[in-house]
Amino acid sequence: MLSRVAETIYWIGRYHERAENTARLIQVNTNLTLDLPKGLMPQWEPLITILGCEEEYAEAHPELTERRIVNFLVSDEKNTASILSSLAFARENARTIRDILPREGWEVINSSYNEALEKKAESYSRAGRQYYLEDIMNDLQHITGLLAGTMNHDLAYDFLNLGRKIERADMTTRIIDVRSDNTVPKDVPEIRPFEDMLWMSILKSLSGYQMYRQSMQVRINRQDVLKFLFCDHLFPRSVAYCVHNIEDYLSRMPVPRKYKCGTHLEKLHDLLDIPIKKELDNEKLHDYIDSLQLLLAKLHLDISRSYFPAIAS
Amino acid sequence: MSINFEAFKEHPFFDELITPKGNARAYARKMYSFINKLEAEELDNRQKGAELAIKQMGITFRVYSKEEGAIDRAWPFDIIPRMIPLKEWNRIEEGLKQRVTALNMFINDLYHKQQIIKDKVFPAEVLAKSVNFREQCVGVKPPLNIWAHICGSDLVRHSDGKVYVLEDNLRVPSGVSYMLENRLVTKRVFPELFETYSPMPIDDYPADLFDTLAALSPRKGDKPEIVVLTPGIYNSAYFEHAYLAQQMGCELVEGRDLVVGDDDVVYMRNVDGFSRVDVIYRRIDDLFLDPEAFNADSMLGVPGLLRAWKAGKVALANAPGAGVADDKVVYSYVPDIIKYYLDEDAIVPNVPTWRCMDKDSLSHVLENIAELVVKPANESGGYGMLVGPASTRAEREEFKELIKKDPRNYIAQPTLGISTVPTVVKGMVEPRHVDLRPFILSGKKISVTTGGLTRVALRKGSLVVNSSQGGGSKDTWIVDE
């Protein structure tokens, strides 16, 4: 398998997962605006920090309003991290490996981007946005399912999933960060009655509410939600689950010549059961999330060095 | 009643489906009555259905404009198929095989003994000024002595009803993927037509192409590693490169994926190291193929590729230098070339051509430029040409100067009344001009696509069929009726 093709397909996995999770992230906040009383309305600004695009935003927009921020994250083609940009990059990538993808796979990747582009005006209102984001998430699930059902489960497919799971692990931590960061007022007495609802909202945005109930058998509470989202071995969006998948894929890949992805994986493992061992307050949670993200970034770098074309070739 | 009869009456051109009296040609009767029964709205819906299908399938080509840069456009397609009766097609096919056989013998001769020049059939000065003759290829013996494995020849039918060859594309001819996709689109929009007609199938092209390429492999016995080499996603024919790789089950590679070793073997860069490449179907022009041998600035090519080819370690299709016969001045000699190598008369004739390098022809061209089409010897895509009857005085004067400065670089032909095919225009059916590009594969045997790509000038009265200049395409049916 060509190194360039491996890189291209890995990034299709990442871009699609990024688009899907950005949609989920926006859905959490939108749901919170509906659930919380007026004085406790969530802010939108932290989403930009969570997704790491403060500079791009500051350059493009003078003010921070819900509308501007959401448009920036959803449909702004100048923002390279927007959902629409991610879909566009994934499509361009898919185009360069049309020979690898099953024909139907390319057609759905192509048409879901076309549709997202054509209908982007629908995302401008709060009401339209819900449907718009749901459609995108459905399309992306469709693509995932279609590829799972029509593509050879070979090395190319492993690279696709490798990209997808690294991005998913990373994005799950970012979605949890909505709570540890500042979107809603922290630890003020008024928020306490709503605390469990906030966590429920996060679970729902990860399609994890029912699975949480089945798996944890307890009512929603912060500590158990964190355990579930970080450490559960059965829920496919938990960080631990993704890391196990990543290990699996890497174990099937040719042994890299120079770099050792294994060291980063071991370190990730050591970190994974921390939420089981101790209770993390918001500040510690935020730091914990940072260290996970850092390790995932290092893992990505070593995968690039091991399998992808050298940057200056 | 969707056919606009007025537009076909007093029609000075040959229409492929409708006679001058406004009746259907024998082989097109059922098609004609089917189309004519469709209401304008229905016809329009079918056309829109085709456009939607093309968008969904992602059939695109890239165009460049000053305002927008490179943009990806949906492939323009007209739903009414162009039809050719099998009997006529068989003869055209024979003619194309004859032509390509002679052209390959000609190219091989030019890079070896140059007997045709010694025998004074082909002038040395034409070769001397050929921009596509590659000194680097002199003496090279490609497998089977074939240089142009894939050839796309453009055919037109004049108002005299005869089919002529307009030009041969021997470098990196494109369009075959659109030919294949057009059939799929037609099946989606007009399934009913396939109940009454059985157009000859066209889908064995990718398998034929694979066999042609596989036969070139320098390693016998093994399963050859064949790749399609593309300049990348920004090339106007990128869609086709990916399409053909996919259809043949081959790797699609860019220059940066390949490397030539000290052993002159070509390798591709894989996730688990390097593996050998045997045959490269290259869709990059000669001059960009290898920065060591040709254009040193090329970022698209593979350093050392020509060395590997000359050493016989890898096969290139088409062979570098095959474009020498692509020249429009060389074109004018093709009937002589066929006679010289095969001792046969050309089955499909050339369009009469004046070579501006001949003094008599030059003065004829300069005097009659308003009635002629003037073409530069080595442009493709319809660029740099003058259509006399459609030109302004200033344009004609400009061209006269260009011709006088470099007569070897220009030829002129009569303005052909090229044939038309009924085409959907806002729910009505009107005649639009078409040409036809069949693709000819040369390997152990020669095979020709069944029909080819029909290109149609969508603007009323326009003769320019190139997709880069407002042309579209049609499905092409060879029918045995």
Side-chain angles (χ1 to χ4, degrees):
Chain A
M1 168 176 215
L2 285 176
S3 298
R4 180 178 52 82
V5 171
E7 183 175 30
T8 304
I9 200 161
Y10 168 88
W11 275 105
I12 293 176
R14 289 204 73 153
Y15 284 130
H16 274 162
E17 195 65 28
R18 184 173 300 173
E20 182 181 332
N21 284 289
T22 305
R24 290 178 184 278
L25 192 59
I26 293 165
Q27 293 284 52
V28 198
N29 237 32
T30 308
N31 288 338
L32 290 178
T33 56
L34 304 176
D35 291 338
L36 290 173
K38 273 235 156 59
L40 297 170
M41 287 291 240
Q43 295 177 313
W44 288 90
E45 191 181 345
L47 291 198
I48 293 176
T49 321
I50 287 171
L51 292 169
C53 43
E54 303 95 324
E55 276 178 39
E56 288 92 332
Y57 187 88
E59 264 173 44
H61 300 283
E63 49 192 319
L64 292 154
T65 63
E66 172 181 348
R67 198 188 159 121
R68 276 179 191 272
I69 292 172
V70 173
N71 289 353
F72 179 75
L73 296 178
V74 174
S75 58
D76 188 344
E77 286 158 278
K78 288 190 195 102
N79 171 17
T80 52
S82 75
I83 292 175
L84 207 52
S85 293
S86 290
L87 293 178
F89 289 141
R91 172 181 177 266
E92 284 295 289
N93 275 15
R95 219 143 69 90
T96 69
I97 53 161
R98 276 179 83 152
D99 52 322
I100 306 285
L101 297 174
R103 181 182 182 121
E104 299 83 353
W106 152 253
E107 286 187 13
V108 180
I109 291 172
N110 180 47
S111 59
S112 56
Y113 164 72
N114 282 335
E115 202 168 310
L117 182 66
E118 272 162 28
K119 292 186 176 165
K120 74 174 190 178
E122 290 176 16
S123 71
Y124 297 162
S125 73
R126 226 186 243 176
R129 188 199 302 158
Q130 293 269 52
Y131 294 111
Y132 182 80
L133 294 177
E134 270 168 26
D135 279 351
I136 286 178
M137 288 190 277
N138 285 339
D139 279 350
L140 291 167
Q141 293 291 338
H142 179 182
I143 292 167
T144 307
L146 189 83
L147 292 179
T150 58
M151 192 175 165
N152 282 348
H153 285 209
D154 55 7
L155 196 53
Y157 189 65
D158 277 347
F159 270 107
L160 176 77
N161 280 320
L162 181 63
R164 189 186 278 153
K165 294 300 164 65
I166 288 181
E167 185 71 24
R168 183 182 293 175
D170 179 82
M171 287 299 280
T172 294
T173 66
R174 288 175 199 266
I175 288 173
I176 300 169
D177 221 8
V178 170
R179 185 61 197 100
S180 67
D181 211 310
N182 297 319
T183 62
V184 286
K186 251 194 290 189
D187 300 330
V188 290
E190 298 86 341
I191 195 83
R192 286 200 190 116
F194 299 100
E195 179 75 17
D196 293 348
M197 203 184 65
L198 291 171
W199 288 105
M200 196 192 299
S201 177
I202 283 172
L203 277 175
K204 280 184 177 164
S205 75
L206 286 165
S207 308
Y209 177 66
Q210 274 171 282
M211 297 303 119
Y212 170 89
R213 300 303 295 228
Q214 284 178 24
S215 183
M216 307 301 279
Q217 306 270 323
V218 290
R219 55 168 302 169
I220 305 284
N221 70 84
R222 181 180 195 275
Q223 190 57 17
D224 284 321
V225 172
L226 289 179
K227 274 189 215 162
F228 179 71
L229 291 180
F230 282 111
C231 317
D232 193 87
H233 285 263
L234 299 173
F235 180 57
R237 311 198 79 84
S238 82
V239 179
Y241 188 92
C242 294
V243 171
H244 287 307
N245 279 171
I246 291 166
E247 271 184 304
D248 249 14
Y249 305 135
L250 283 174
S251 74
R252 287 202 288 270
M253 287 184 182
V255 179
R257 291 176 294 281
K258 283 178 228 152
Y259 300 95
K260 285 222 163 91
C261 304
T263 350
H264 304 309
L265 277 172
E266 275 166 35
K267 282 189 190 155
L268 268 171
H269 263 294
D270 295 344
L271 283 183
L272 278 177
D273 49 2
I274 284 183
I276 300 177
K277 286 185 196 150
K278 50 184 161 187
E279 200 157 327
L280 300 166
D281 64 22
N282 275 349
E283 204 172 317
K284 290 231 174 69
L285 178 59
H286 186 69
D287 292 345
Y288 173 63
I289 285 172
D290 268 357
S291 55
L292 285 176
Q293 288 173 2
L294 193 67
L295 274 173
L296 287 166
K298 282 185 179 163
L299 185 62
H300 162 75
L301 200 65
D302 264 2
I303 290 170
S304 302
R305 286 174 177 158
S306 303
Y307 300 114
F308 302 157
I311 293 157
S313 77
Chain B
M1 263 303 267
S2 54
I3 299 180
N4 180 2
F5 289 98
E6 287 309 310
F8 288 88
K9 272 185 201 157
E10 310 286 318
H11 189 49
F13 308 101
F14 184 99
D15 188 90
E16 302 280 343
L17 303 189
I18 299 178
T19 67
K21 285 182 184 163
N23 303 315
R25 295 191 185 275
Y27 52 85
R29 259 179 218 138
K30 284 176 278 180
M31 169 88 71
Y32 177 93
S33 68
F34 172 75
I35 302 275
N36 205 28
K37 270 185 217 142
L38 296 178
E39 296 293 332
E41 198 188 336
E42 178 62 19
L43 200 58
D44 209 35
N45 282 342
R46 303 267 181 141
Q47 179 67 36
K48 287 198 179 111
E51 281 155 20
L52 187 68
I54 283 166
K55 207 170 167 196
Q56 270 173 1
M57 291 155 86
I59 312 174
T60 58
F61 71 107
R62 243 171 222 270
V63 286
Y64 298 91
S65 72
K66 272 184 193 149
E67 300 78 36
E68 297 171 273
I71 41 168
D72 222 26
R73 280 221 192 121
W75 177 244
F77 174 77
D78 179 79
I79 53 178
I80 302 178
R82 182 249 189 97
M83 303 170 84
I84 303 171
L86 179 64
K87 222 174 129 196
E88 182 181 23
W89 175 252
N90 285 338
R91 190 171 161 74
I92 294 174
E93 187 178 323
E94 279 317 299
L96 292 169
K97 286 181 177 174
Q98 176 201 49
R99 193 172 177 96
V100 168
T101 306
L103 282 170
N104 267 309
M105 293 171 81
F106 170 69
I107 302 168
N108 199 52
D109 189 14
L110 288 188
Y111 287 108
H112 293 95
K113 289 186 186 157
Q114 303 198 337
Q115 199 59 42
I116 194 169
I117 295 176
K118 290 176 189 148
D119 291 339
K120 306 214 178 308
V121 175
F122 185 80
E125 65 258 39
V126 174
L127 184 63
K129 287 198 176 164
S130 164
V131 296
N132 289 314
F133 183 75
R134 306 270 169 259
E135 286 296 340
Q136 296 93 327
C137 301
V138 170
V140 178
K141 286 191 190 315
L144 312 166
N145 293 327
I146 292 173
W147 293 71
H149 312 88
I150 300 106
C151 170
S153 292
D154 291 347
L155 307 178
V156 290
R157 193 197 296 276
H158 187 38
S159 38
D160 61 5
K162 276 196 217 148
V163 170
Y164 296 85
V165 179
L166 191 61
E167 61 182 58
D168 304 293
N169 299 282
L170 299 154
R171 284 175 279 183
V172 284
S174 62
V176 77
S177 58
Y178 301 111
M179 172 191 91
L180 296 165
E181 294 286 79
N182 283 353
R183 176 64 53 85
L184 294 186
V185 177
T186 309
K187 284 179 177 166
R188 279 203 201 186
V189 285
F190 279 150
E192 307 95 324
L193 273 178
F194 290 81
E195 289 163 17
T196 42
Y197 279 106
S198 308
M200 310 262 303
I202 54 172
D203 40 19
D204 46 4
Y205 181 83
D208 286 346
L209 178 60
F210 183 90
D211 292 345
T212 303
L213 296 170
L216 305 176
S217 173
R219 282 193 296 175
K220 299 299 167 202
D222 281 327
K223 188 178 166 280
E225 184 74 66
I226 301 172
V227 300
V228 178
L229 174 61
T230 174
I233 194 162
Y234 297 107
N235 185 272
S236 60
Y238 178 78
F239 167 82
E240 175 156 310
H241 308 159
Y243 180 91
L244 290 174
Q246 183 182 39
Q247 294 290 312
M248 292 194 290
C250 297
E251 208 77 63
L252 177 69
V253 302
E254 295 179 16
R256 60 196 164 114
D257 296 324
L258 299 180
V259 56
V260 179
D262 294 335
D263 51 0
D264 289 346
V265 169
V266 180
Y267 296 94
M268 57 184 173
R269 229 182 283 266
N270 300 310
V271 286
D272 54 353
F274 293 92
S275 65
R276 180 169 178 176
V277 172
D278 298 304
V279 182
I280 301 176
Y281 177 25
R282 53 98 175 194
R283 297 294 298 257
I284 296 181
D285 282 326
D286 282 0
L287 294 179
F288 296 95
L289 260 188
D290 178 356
E292 267 181 24
F294 302 114
N295 190 344
D297 306 330
S298 171
M299 306 285 286
L300 304 172
V302 185
L305 190 56
L306 197 78
R307 172 161 53 87
W309 176 65
K310 287 170 108 168
K313 298 285 177 70
V314 72
L316 294 175
N318 287 349
V324 64
D326 212 292
D327 182 307
K328 292 191 177 64
V329 178
V330 175
Y331 158 87
S332 69
Y333 286 96
V334 172
D336 306 323
I337 289 170
I338 293 172
K339 188 84 191 162
Y340 178 77
Y341 291 105
L342 303 175
D343 196 22
E344 291 170 7
D345 292 321
I347 298 170
V348 184
N350 261 18
V351 177
T353 302
W354 290 277
R355 302 171 195 128
C356 297
M357 56 184 280
D358 301 338
K359 279 219 172 78
D360 295 347
S361 299
L362 177 63
S363 48
H364 176 87
V365 170
L366 293 175
E367 275 165 38
N368 299 287
I369 195 162
E371 282 91 54
L372 299 173
V373 176
V374 182
K375 295 176 180 174
N378 287 300
E379 284 285 345
S380 60
Y383 292 102
M385 58 186 257
L386 177 90
V387 180
S391 63
T392 63
R393 173 181 287 271
E395 283 166 345
R396 289 195 292 275
E397 290 307 317
E398 187 196 330
F399 256 78
K400 281 186 189 173
E401 289 310 308
L402 286 172
I403 297 168
K404 278 191 245 168
K405 238 182 252 166
D406 187 10
R408 157 64 179 88
N409 194 36
Y410 289 92
I411 56 132
Q413 293 168 337
T415 309
L416 295 176
I418 69 174
S419 66
T420 59
V421 175
T423 299
V424 179
V425 182
K426 292 177 189 146
M428 289 298 280
V429 177
E430 293 181 10
R432 290 291 183 269
H433 295 286
V434 295
D435 76 351
L436 178 66
R437 176 179 286 184
F439 296 85
I440 307 110
L441 295 173
S442 304
K444 284 187 177 137
K445 63 182 178 99
I446 301 182
S447 58
V448 182
T449 49
T450 311
L453 176 67
T454 292
R455 298 184 297 177
V456 52
L458 294 171
R459 271 186 304 239
K460 189 171 186 170
S462 168
L463 296 170
V464 184
V465 295
N466 305 84
S467 50
S468 49
Q469 298 191 45
S473 75
K474 284 170 165 289
D475 192 9
T476 307
W477 288 14
I478 305 301
V479 286
D480 187 9
E481 294 290 313

